[in-house]
Amino acid sequence: MKTLVALLCTISALAGSVFPYKCISCMCRNSTTCQETETECLGDRCMVASQYYYVVGKEFKSFYKGCANETLCETKGAGIMKNAKFYFWTHCCTGELCNNQVYELPKEDPTPNGVKCPFSLCVGTLEECKTDKEINCTGSMDRCIDYRATLRIQYEKDTNYSGKGCVNNDTCRNNLDSNIGLEEIHRGYLKC
Ligand SMILES: *[C@@H]1O[C@H](CO)[C@@H](O)[C@H](O)[C@H]1NC(C)=O
Ligand SMILES: *[C@@H]1O[C@H](CO)[C@@H](O)[C@H](O)[C@H]1NC(C)=O
Ligand SMILES: *[C@@H]1O[C@H](CO)[C@@H](O)[C@H](O)[C@H]1NC(C)=O
Ligand SMILES: *[C@@H]1O[C@H](CO)[C@@H](O)[C@H](O)[C@H]1NC(C)=O
Ligand SMILES: *[C@@H]1O[C@H](CO)[C@@H](O)[C@H](O)[C@H]1NC(C)=O
């Protein structure tokens, strides 16, 4: 009897550490109606990510739910350039199926924060996009960015972009390629 109890305890302890956790899973590309399923994860953490960007007349909103990627947990990226805008938000939680949040785009604080940055966007070049224009940065976007890269936006043909504007600290730390629907093919220059 003693050994059976010991065995059962061992089995349940193993089950707790070995059997995978479940998380809610979905990937909505430019849509808010997501087909949710369940997925098994190795860790015990789940993640929700939402993203918005606008580039020269094109808008894109997406949501992701699934296993946590610890390098992306709790980011809150935000950036603005001339004719371009970007928000990225992730949240991780612990426990089975804990990522049951509603789909919500990140909100940004529109209050000017006193920082001013050059404000430009040049399409079709990786050269510096020079400008005399300035923008009053808002909310968490307290530093200036100069970014030049070849981007593939939602499967369209690769295009070179070069621009300046305001970003927050998480955007500089996490790079712009941790994205859904926007792929950085080649990084020409990044300075925050
Ligand atoms: C995303 O959806 C919006 C409508 O909700 C549409 O105007 C826009 O063109 C779509 N973006 C892309 C990149 O397909
Ligand atoms: C930035 O803010 C200043 C006031 O601090 C204002 O005079 C200026 O017009 C603003 N610039 C822009 C581009 O909004
Ligand atoms: C980024 O800035 C926010 C405030 O806007 C601050 O709470 C956070 O600690 C900063 N993160 C890093 C890594 O500096
Ligand atoms: C981007 O610019 C580089 C350097 O000028 C050039 O070699 C490349 O072909 C350009 N890419 C596109 C997609 O235009
Ligand atoms: C987590 O995100 C980072 C940054 O985007 C990426 O490089 C890495 O491959 C991701 N890891 C997994 C397991 O998906």
Side-chain angles (χ1 to χ4, degrees):
M1 192 59 190
K2 233 179 180 174
T3 45
L4 181 61
V5 170
L7 185 64
L8 284 175
C9 286
T10 312
I11 287 174
S12 60
L14 278 176
S17 59
V18 169
F19 288 2
Y21 265 83
K22 287 200 172 101
C23 291
I24 297 171
S25 168
C26 79
M27 171 72 91
C28 305
R29 292 182 178 276
N30 205 26
S31 160
T32 48
T33 49
C34 295
Q35 194 64 52
E36 291 193 343
T37 57
E38 288 180 7
T39 187
E40 291 183 337
C41 301
L42 286 178
D44 61 351
R45 305 242 290 158
C46 304
M47 185 164 89
V48 177
S50 74
Q51 176 192 298
Y52 169 86
Y53 65 70
Y54 170 88
V55 185
V56 213
K58 291 229 162 92
E59 196 180 40
F60 191 81
K61 302 170 192 177
S62 58
F63 299 94
Y64 163 86
K65 284 187 180 188
C67 306
N69 179 334
E70 294 298 334
T71 58
L72 292 178
C73 283
E74 313 312 325
T75 53
K76 214 170 175 300
I80 185 166
M81 289 177 192
K82 192 160 188 275
N83 295 318
K85 215 182 234 190
F86 164 85
Y87 303 116
F88 181 71
W89 169 90
T90 66
H91 175 65
C92 294
C93 56
T94 304
E96 284 223 292
L97 304 173
C98 64
N99 57 342
N100 55 2
Q101 292 88 342
V102 295
Y103 297 95
E104 217 174 21
L105 282 171
K107 288 192 184 64
E108 263 301 305
D109 174 4
T111 316
N113 58 25
V115 176
K116 284 182 199 291
C117 293
F119 192 52
S120 67
L121 184 73
C122 300
V123 180
T125 179
L126 294 178
E127 300 293 311
E128 181 182 3
C129 187
K130 294 190 174 142
T131 182
D132 296 332
K133 288 213 171 70
E134 279 193 326
I135 184 175
N136 294 321
C137 303
T138 54
S140 67
M141 297 184 275
D142 60 356
R143 57 203 69 195
C144 300
I145 189 173
D146 181 345
Y147 179 62
R148 306 169 209 168
T150 311
L151 301 180
R152 184 176 299 161
I153 296 177
Q154 189 59 358
Y155 316 121
E156 290 193 13
K157 74 173 168 39
D158 298 356
T159 305
N160 285 336
Y161 293 94
S162 169
K164 298 184 181 188
C166 317
V167 292
N168 71 351
N169 56 4
D170 270 358
T171 302
C172 299
R173 190 162 57 88
N174 278 292
N175 302 339
L176 295 155
D177 62 355
S178 53
N179 269 299
I180 310 163
L182 185 151
E183 205 180 333
E184 184 182 75
I185 305 298
H186 166 77
R187 162 88 49 94
Y189 187 81
L190 173 68
K191 187 161 180 272
C192 285

